[in-house]
Each structure stands twice: as C-alpha cells, then as structure tokens.
Amino acid sequence: NAGVMQNPRHLVRRRGQEARLRCSPMKGHSHVYWYRQLPEEGLKFMVYLQKENIIDESGMPKERFSAEFPKEGPSILRIQQVVRGDSAAYFCASSPSPEISYGYTFGSGTRLTVV
Amino acid sequence: SQELEQSPQSLIVQEGKNLTINCTSSKTLYGLYWYKQKYGEGLIFLMMLQKGGEEKSHEKITAKLDEKKQQSSLHITASQPSHAGIYLCGATGGHYGGATNKLIFGTGTLLAVQP
C-alpha cells in the first residue's frame, strides 16, 4: 500500500508562472490536507478537502492560491503568478476519516523554488 | 488561537546521551501528536497522546502528556545519529472530532547527535 504520493518532489518556476502541485492520498483516504513550510517558519495549515469539497480553507492566501480534490485523480494545489515569497516546501497529508485519531500520513513534500 | 511553543529550538548532544524536548500549549490539548522530519523530507508520525498523564514509548523514544494537558515532553534515551532531525509537536486546532481537524504545529526542535 503506497503512502501519500506527492509530485513533483522539486519544482522550479520563474516569477509570474503557475505552479501545480499534486497529491495522491493513501488508498482508502478521502480527506486531504495541505500544509506549507516556509524557510525559518513552522509548518502551517493551508486547506482541508474531501472529495469534491473544500471543508476548511482558512489558511489559504486570499489570492493566487486554489486547491481542488476531484472525484477522480489527485488533489491539486495551484499557485498562479508565483512570487519569490511562495518558495517553500508544500506538504500534503491524508486521513481515512475526519477524526485524526492516529495522526495524518504525510507525503514527502514538493519543494517549490521561485526564481 | 492555539499556539504551541517548543523548547529548546535546537539541541546538540553526544551519541549515547539522553535528551528531552518540550512542547507547551496556550490552551488545553485535546490531542497531541509528535512527528519527526529529516531535512528535506516529509514528516514521520511518532506518537499521539490524548489523556492527561498518558505516556507512550516506542523503541528509545518516550512521550508524555501532563495531567493538565497543556504540556508534553519527548524523551530520547541513549541517542543515536539516526535520531537526528527536526521534531515537531502538533495539536488539533479545535475540539477533538470536530468538523475540521487541521493540526497546529509547534516551532520545531532541531536535534543533532554527534558520534
């Protein structure tokens, strides 16, 4: 049973380009969470999604960032018109239910570098 | 909002020494999670504590949650180079089992173990 798969592992974008980060949850997990780890900062919650629904996007920047988790396929975190400040590690986690009794399972992350 | 403070921020120990990392919450903890992150990699779930006074061990790592459920400690016995990494404590942002189950993470503790 594969874990949470994130791709790409590393992504380099020029300022103004779009970044698309993909997350495939563990088999049987229908709850996905995105976190961002900025340099010198802690890990911060961005958004929580279930299949086809955004449940909590309180940590998402108001502009340029969007997330989806379609019925089929991986969850996508999309960053439009990237800026240098978007450079960070983006982690996805999944769980089988809303209760995180035993913690999430995290992916290995996508490291975004904006040049 | 709930905040988690970890101490120390960083720690260098000689191989074979014991060490303790602390995590203090500004509010009562409904669930406390310990994760380990190796540089450039994802988060590995270590342990979850829920009840006041609870203590769990796995190999040489022991985690405790105090009776008031506002402080947790992670103790490593006879440290090894494989223990090196960033240790993060996380707590549920709201009431346990609520509609959103995002994790709020502490500031992290960077551990280096010298051979």
Side-chain angles (χ1 to χ4, degrees):
Chain A
N1 185 14
V4 177
M5 305 299 292
Q6 288 189 250
N7 64 80
R9 289 291 302 272
H10 300 275
L11 182 61
V12 179
R13 283 288 177 265
R14 294 188 184 279
R15 280 178 295 172
Q17 289 185 319
E18 178 180 288
R20 290 170 72 87
L21 287 62
R22 287 176 290 277
C23 170
S24 296
M26 283 186 71
K27 189 176 180 182
H29 288 195
S30 58
H31 302 260
V32 165
Y33 317 83
W34 285 93
Y35 287 77
R36 178 167 66 172
Q37 189 173 40
L38 288 163
E40 308 303 321
E41 290 189 24
L43 201 57
K44 305 287 186 191
F45 168 82
M46 296 182 78
V47 62
Y48 162 37
L49 309 103
Q50 291 181 29
K51 283 285 187 181
E52 300 185 276
N53 290 305
I54 296 174
I55 306 301
D56 181 351
E57 55 181 348
S58 57
M60 287 279 269
K62 294 285 184 264
E63 298 176 349
R64 303 187 296 107
F65 285 72
S66 62
E68 62 176 11
F69 188 16
K71 190 176 179 182
E72 302 289 338
S75 174
I76 306 285
L77 180 68
R78 184 178 173 211
I79 311 171
Q80 295 178 290
Q81 299 176 317
V82 296
V83 300
R84 288 235 171 97
D86 297 333
S87 295
Y90 291 83
F91 291 96
C92 164
S94 73
S95 67
S97 75
E99 289 193 16
I100 46 173
S101 301
Y102 292 96
Y104 305 139
T105 300
F106 277 89
S108 297
T110 293
R111 278 144 190 89
L112 172 66
T113 303
V114 179
V115 297
Chain B
S1 62
Q2 187 168 31
E3 291 184 355
L4 292 173
E5 282 279 334
Q6 282 186 241
S7 63
Q9 280 192 315
S10 61
L11 191 54
I12 302 173
V13 299
Q14 286 272 294
E15 183 175 359
K17 296 293 186 186
N18 302 338
L19 64 107
T20 300
I21 298 168
N22 294 301
C23 175
T24 303
S25 171
S26 58
K27 295 185 178 180
T28 301
L29 295 162
Y30 290 96
L32 190 285
Y33 305 81
W34 283 101
Y35 285 86
K36 178 186 174 186
Q37 182 182 22
K38 285 224 177 240
Y39 182 75
E41 297 181 15
L43 279 71
I44 300 166
F45 172 74
L46 296 175
M47 276 173 272
M48 188 271 288
L49 304 164
Q50 275 185 276
K51 301 173 186 173
E54 187 174 7
E55 179 176 321
K56 287 186 178 176
S57 293
H58 178 66
E59 296 181 344
K60 294 185 179 180
I61 301 176
T62 300
K64 300 178 188 179
L65 182 61
D66 74 342
E67 289 289 344
K68 290 184 179 178
K69 295 172 61 175
Q70 285 193 271
Q71 186 165 25
S72 178
S73 61
L74 188 82
H75 184 77
I76 299 177
T77 304
S79 58
Q80 300 169 354
S82 61
H83 288 127
I86 300 170
Y87 288 82
L88 293 161
C89 62
T92 48
H95 293 289
Y96 175 71
T100 62
N101 51 354
K102 59 192 176 191
L103 283 176
I104 294 169
F105 283 94
T107 46
T109 295
L110 176 61
L111 171 65
V113 180
Q114 291 182 331

